[in-house]
Amino acid sequence: MDFLHEWLPQRVRFDTGRATAALAEEAASAAIARPMVIATPRGAALARTLTAGLDVAVLHDDVREHVPADVAERARTVAGEHDVDGLICVGGGSATGLAKAVALTTGLPILAVPTTYAGSEATDIWGLTTDGVKRTGVDPQVLPKAVIYDAALTVGLPVGLSTSSGLNALAHAVDALWAPRADPINAVLATEAVRSLAAALPAVAATPDSLPARADAFYGTYLASTAFASAGSGLHHKICHVLGGRYDLPHAATHAVVLPHVLALNAPHAPDAERRLAEAFGAPSASAGLRALYDELDPPRTLRELGLSEAQAVEAAAAVLSVVPESNPAPADLEVLETLLRSAWAGS
């Protein structure tokens, strides 16, 4: 029981149906008077509605997955040109990631209003992609000062995107059980996250307009992301970062495809994690529980359907090998990684 656990300082509001009012309150609390609002073109209308009562300096919608470095630099330039004093990101991980990229060099505070289950809003982890390589780092400046979870904002998210996004959140929890700084507190958070998400995601798929189900999904997302932020990035996320940075694969779907394969590799070598996950799924084993959940949700199952070639999948193994965490419970040499990525490509 000797360990060091670090808890991130952040205000977290679960405020279904009150995002606009809650955002105004948090902006006042953080003394943000001229925010830069960041959202994708698709999410810009919602962002305008949520911030209608604020003196918005600029709404910036030049947002891309994996935060390419040139996109980040353009956003930083816009922030400087409009003399903003804070950032408000509305949307999924791409919008949050871009806000973090701006905060990383400017120190501007972030208020996050998630509309997916990406979970980036609850971490101090940033990511930038340059020449096909996605780099990540940790910096307290990029942790949003406040997060507003309003389940009503996710009702319009299509079922397929809801479930793949939720499986991305689930991957945060699973990875936290064997990541470099895994500890007993992270394990408790991760286990409860898996239990919540395993129940919430099928309910969201069955009844997409269910606010309680979507609120439970946000609850699981927050717990999983908090555990992940503390424990660090495990093998699953290292693989997904390589695939996303090199081949620009869709972020959430890539996580959904890769997760069962990393779990199958690691669970036999991590008996405590295996026991926790099996109990959280209510299944005889962790892999059986995940398979049952996937059968209910029917997410993407192969890298092939995401547009990756088999040669690219095998090629990625060498890049993953250089970043395999020492804490990974199973041996992961080049042959193992090539086998894993071939399996993820084929869905075997």
Side-chain angles (χ1 to χ4, degrees), residues 20 44-53:
T20 300
L46 173 61
R48 288 189 184 93
T49 299
L50 294 177
T51 59

Side-chain angles (χ1 to χ4, degrees), residues 39-48 59 61-63 90-91 115 156-158 161:
T40 64
R42 179 179 295 182
L46 173 61
R48 288 189 184 93
L59 192 154
D61 65 1
D62 180 10
V63 177
V90 178
T115 61
L157 190 66
L161 289 177

Side-chain angles (χ1 to χ4, degrees), residues 7 55 67 76 94 97 123 147 189 200 226 233 236 244 258 271 314:
W7 203 278
D55 184 14
V67 196
R76 292 164 178 163
S94 298
T123 79
V147 180
L189 295 172
T226 301
S233 185
H236 170 86
V258 171
V314 175

Side-chain angles (χ1 to χ4, degrees), residues 87 91 135 143 164 190 197 256 269 297 314 316 320:
L87 307 166
R135 297 180 299 111
L143 178 71
S164 60
L197 288 164
H269 298 266
L297 300 179
V314 175
V320 174

Side-chain angles (χ1 to χ4, degrees), residues 6-12 26 30 32 86-89 96-113 119-127 137-149 222 225-230:
E6 197 163 340
W7 203 278
L8 299 179
Q10 182 182 67
R11 286 169 60 85
V12 179
E26 293 302 324
I32 296 175
L87 307 166
I88 295 175
C89 51
T96 307
L98 184 57
K100 287 181 171 185
V102 176
L104 182 65
T105 58
T106 64
L108 291 168
I110 304 172
L111 304 180
V113 186
S120 177
E121 69 280 350
T123 79
D124 56 357
I125 301 167
W126 56 266
V138 175
D139 194 302
Q141 285 196 144
V142 308
L143 178 71
K145 302 299 180 187
V147 180
I148 299 164
Y149 289 113
Y222 172 71
S225 301
T226 301
F228 175 70
S230 176

